[in-house]
Amino acid sequence: MRFTLIIILALTINKLAAQSTDIPLNSWAYPVLDEWDVKGEISVFSTVKPINRAYFTEISNGVDWELSKSDKADLGYIILETREHQDSVPAAQKGLFNALYKYESDFFSYSDESFDLHVNPVWLIEAGKDAEGRLDETLYQNYRGLELRGTVDKRVSFYTLLTENQARYADYIKDMTDSTLAVPYEGFWKQYGGTGVDFLRAQGYVDINATKHIGVQLGYGKHFIGDGKRSLILSDIGNNYPYLRLNTKVWKIQYTNIFAQLIAQTYGGDFGLLGTGAFPKKYFANHHLSVQVTPKLTIGLFESFIQGDSTNNTNLGILNPIIFFKSIEQQDGSGGNTIVGLDFKWNLWKQVSLYGQLAIDELVVGELLDNTGWWGNKQGFQLGGKYFDAFGLKNLDLQLELNRVRPYLYAHESYYTNYSHYNMALAHPLGANFREILSSISYQPIPKLKLKADLLLAKYGNDINGLSYGRDIMEPYLPDNRPGDYGNDMFQGETIDLTMVQLNAQYMLYHNLILNGTMIYREESSVTGQSKAAQMVTFGVYWNFPVRSYLF
């Protein structure tokens, strides 16, 4: 596989065009892009993220409708965040020591005809308390590091992020780590201070253009596919991974290929993960085709394939960017796991965006119509909507989303072929065998201040009696490991109801310097009468690091 990646880069290096880095996932910029897409009716390809700065620049140049003060502040933010691609930006200031913060967006920057460089410190300090916590300890996150991006000869772009981190999370996040050995969003970790975790975060890529319309990115990071809060295809809840991404954008079509090496399983204990020996690996490929059927309607098709075994070998056929993965699986008997599906985004009346996803692992229509609860009918769907400037009130945005996934979707015969990475789901954090309703209210009463309220209502079925009832995707679905072939239904096993309310306020004090306050109420109640609750309040400062949600 490494040899193949080298060949691809060698073939593209002589045909390069102007290049760009991506805006990081969960940035302040992405909700702004969603709003521009709807209000401007400008057919934005927004489903596959992250999205590069050059594309943000292209869209920002088309913003010509009436803007509120908050809208103008958001536009100014995007212009500064993408200033190396803008025709005009505010003039450079003298800055600190005539060298630092000449532009609000960069601690240090340099640019000439052949080289562009942006360097920023990364710092996050956050603390809080959980009134229902098992231990009377302060919750905290403490990240320190450096972010660097740039372009060489206007042809090759690069990005790197490195941070050293310690954190003590709420009990419900600790419980997830205890059961999976995975820290949400992160990778390798060690115990810190008895009840905390310590980990190193590294991310980076090199990005080039093979032609005017085909981009090639080789990196270590992650992606998000979807237009909602959740993705049933590929999300960023897990660890980074090494990948090759091809992005083809021509006419009314965007075609994205992601090829990645994943970790099939990790080993460790309360002390953290084992630091000796290599974790077993598997290989992942995703093809996603988006077509702008009309200026308001975009339809996408996708297929994902995961394959691996104890030899760590893979079939080079999965590197073919234009093939049906199921045919590879059948031809060589590799026993991989293929998931296919579709998504859509439909913008209406310059205020509303409807979106959805359908993921299918296996579907036998006869079994579905017989309604016998056959275990092999494994599907999931998402349906949602966004309402901008709701009821005529500027900068009041509403969102409602339903996700429903049947038991055993994403699971497979072994950890080499299930839909996971680093013991964490590649798609939805709840795994499978669940229904989830998410509602959100977002309001920007003044520039740089965002107020948000989220409500999560979910129901799912946990495993019991040593059998897999379909929620834990790490559990193999072999015949002797599940209750039976028929009679399987939603929420089977131990039925759990989850309610979560999250209130959040963010104020951007300076470019990418955010004051963040969050209040969370979370309760899980079982059909057996047991319950667990969390009541949290946290306050933090985020500097050049996005505010991420732990809404699960």
Side-chain angles (χ1 to χ4, degrees):
M1 187 172 182
R2 293 176 184 172
F3 177 75
T4 305
L5 298 184
I6 292 171
I7 292 295
I8 291 172
L9 292 178
L11 291 174
T12 60
I13 199 70
N14 290 322
K15 297 182 178 181
L16 304 178
Q19 206 35 50
S20 172
T21 56
D22 296 332
I23 290 185
L25 293 171
N26 302 299
S27 165
W28 187 285
Y30 286 103
V32 180
L33 183 67
D34 290 343
E35 186 172 1
W36 289 353
D37 182 21
V38 173
K39 291 184 177 180
E41 296 184 331
I42 44 184
S43 301
V44 175
F45 286 114
S46 60
T47 302
V48 181
K49 304 174 182 73
I51 298 172
N52 67 44
R53 285 177 166 81
Y55 193 52
F56 267 90
T57 300
E58 177 186 336
I59 302 304
S60 69
N61 290 335
V63 175
D64 58 0
W65 53 89
E66 183 180 354
L67 302 177
S68 68
K69 290 182 179 180
S70 295
D71 293 335
K72 291 176 181 177
D74 287 341
L75 177 59
Y77 172 84
I78 299 296
I79 290 174
L80 272 176
E81 193 68 15
T82 62
R83 67 177 182 81
E84 61 265 42
H85 302 284
Q86 298 284 348
D87 293 333
S88 62
V89 294
Q93 305 299 313
K94 184 177 180 180
L96 296 173
F97 312 112
N98 201 29
L100 308 179
Y101 279 118
K102 289 187 174 183
Y103 291 95
E104 206 175 302
S105 54
D106 299 305
F107 176 76
F108 174 80
S109 62
Y110 174 81
S111 182
D112 61 26
E113 286 297 317
S114 59
F115 185 55
D116 180 67
L117 177 67
H118 307 257
V119 180
N120 277 300
V122 174
W123 184 54
L124 188 163
I125 183 69
E126 186 171 59
K129 295 287 287 187
D130 180 1
E132 300 287 341
R134 292 189 290 263
L135 298 174
D136 186 22
E137 295 181 313
T138 300
L139 309 178
Y140 65 87
Q141 295 186 84
N142 183 11
Y143 306 164
R144 296 90 55 208
L146 189 70
E147 180 188 55
L148 184 149
R149 77 173 197 270
T151 304
V152 179
D153 293 331
K154 298 182 179 179
R155 296 184 171 187
V156 180
S157 290
F158 57 89
Y159 173 88
T160 187
L161 169 73
L162 181 65
T163 62
E164 164 65 11
N165 320 272
Q166 290 81 39
R168 180 183 293 126
Y169 295 110
D171 287 345
Y172 77 94
I173 301 175
K174 291 180 190 175
D175 291 343
M176 176 179 285
T177 300
D178 290 343
S179 63
T180 64
L181 290 179
V183 176
Y185 295 108
E186 312 302 346
F188 187 88
W189 62 277
K190 288 292 186 182
Q191 186 189 78
Y192 179 79
T195 55
V197 293
D198 179 279
F199 52 92
L200 188 68
R201 180 189 297 108
Q203 184 177 342
Y205 56 80
V206 175
D207 198 302
I208 62 179
N209 274 2
T211 72
K212 180 179 178 181
H213 300 289
I214 301 176
V216 180
Q217 188 176 104
L218 181 64
Y220 185 75
K222 47 192 170 182
H223 304 82
F224 186 96
I225 299 179
D227 290 289
K229 286 182 171 296
R230 307 294 199 200
S231 174
L232 303 186
I233 306 172
L234 183 61
S235 78
D236 64 335
I237 190 64
N239 189 20
N240 294 318
Y241 42 79
Y243 67 87
L244 170 70
R245 187 180 76 194
L246 309 179
N247 192 45
T248 303
K249 193 181 299 179
V250 61
W251 190 46
K252 299 179 180 181
I253 295 171
Q254 177 175 276
Y255 186 52
T256 304
N257 310 98
I258 300 172
F259 309 100
Q261 183 185 73
L262 308 179
I263 298 300
Q265 190 176 42
T266 62
Y267 309 106
D270 293 340
F271 56 85
L273 298 183
L274 289 175
T276 58
F279 296 133
K281 298 174 178 61
K282 57 186 176 182
Y283 300 92
F284 168 81
N286 174 275
H287 299 166
H288 187 276
L289 174 68
S290 289
V291 180
Q292 291 174 343
V293 180
T294 73
K296 298 181 181 180
L297 176 63
T298 300
I299 294 178
L301 302 173
F302 82 91
E303 57 173 345
S304 294
F305 180 72
I306 291 184
Q307 183 263 330
D309 57 36
S310 59
T311 66
N312 281 341
N313 291 325
T314 188
N315 186 336
L316 291 180
I318 72 170
L319 290 173
N320 189 328
I322 47 173
I323 198 168
F324 184 53
F325 288 132
K326 194 68 177 179
S327 65
I328 298 176
E329 181 183 348
Q330 291 175 337
Q331 292 296 326
D332 68 3
S334 64
N337 184 11
T338 302
I339 296 177
V340 300
L342 57 87
D343 53 58
F344 78 93
K345 180 183 64 177
W346 190 14
N347 296 335
L348 300 168
W349 312 301
K350 295 187 177 183
Q351 273 194 297
V352 174
S353 180
L354 304 179
Y355 60 89
Q357 292 181 337
L358 174 66
I360 301 173
D361 186 353
E362 193 171 354
L363 174 63
V364 177
V365 176
E367 296 283 3
L368 184 65
L369 294 178
D370 288 343
N371 196 29
T372 56
W374 184 54
W375 78 278
N377 272 330
K378 304 184 288 290
Q379 312 93 34
F381 76 87
Q382 175 189 89
L383 187 62
K386 303 173 186 176
Y387 181 20
F388 297 96
D389 293 346
F391 312 113
L393 183 58
K394 286 287 187 179
N395 305 114
L396 175 66
D397 304 328
L398 309 181
Q399 184 173 359
L400 182 65
E401 180 175 306
L402 168 67
N403 296 288
R404 187 180 188 273
V405 176
R406 280 188 55 81
Y408 305 109
L409 182 65
Y410 308 123
H412 210 250
E413 295 174 351
S414 78
Y415 53 74
Y416 284 108
T417 47
N418 62 30
Y419 211 69
S420 72
H421 167 55
Y422 233 85
N423 290 15
M424 184 69 73
L426 276 173
H428 199 290
L430 292 182
N433 191 20
F434 72 86
R435 182 192 64 219
E436 175 190 54
I437 299 173
L438 290 163
S439 59
S440 175
I441 302 174
S442 178
Y443 185 47
Q444 198 168 354
I446 59 175
K448 301 186 178 183
L449 174 63
K450 290 188 177 182
L451 306 176
K452 192 172 184 181
D454 294 289
L455 172 64
L456 181 160
L457 300 172
K459 184 187 290 287
Y460 55 85
N462 275 339
D463 296 345
I464 53 174
N465 301 325
L467 294 176
S468 170
Y469 281 81
R471 179 176 178 239
D472 186 354
I473 68 171
M474 296 297 294
E475 284 293 321
Y477 57 39
L478 299 174
D480 59 355
N481 197 41
R482 48 185 167 80
D485 289 347
Y486 293 94
N488 294 277
D489 205 354
M490 292 292 296
F491 324 127
Q492 63 183 9
E494 181 188 3
T495 304
I496 305 291
D497 286 294
L498 170 62
T499 301
M500 188 168 181
V501 178
Q502 179 175 271
L503 305 178
N504 177 256
Q506 298 178 31
Y507 184 78
M508 189 173 291
L509 191 64
Y510 196 73
H511 189 88
N512 281 335
L513 177 61
I514 298 173
L515 305 181
N516 181 71
T518 303
M519 296 178 62
I520 288 177
Y521 173 77
R522 185 182 190 274
E523 183 178 14
E524 285 180 293
S525 57
S526 168
V527 68
T528 64
Q530 296 180 323
S531 65
K532 293 185 290 186
Q535 296 184 48
M536 297 166 48
V537 178
T538 61
F539 296 95
V541 180
Y542 290 65
W543 192 16
N544 295 310
F545 195 87
V547 178
R548 300 186 300 194
S549 174
Y550 291 86
L551 188 70
F552 50 78

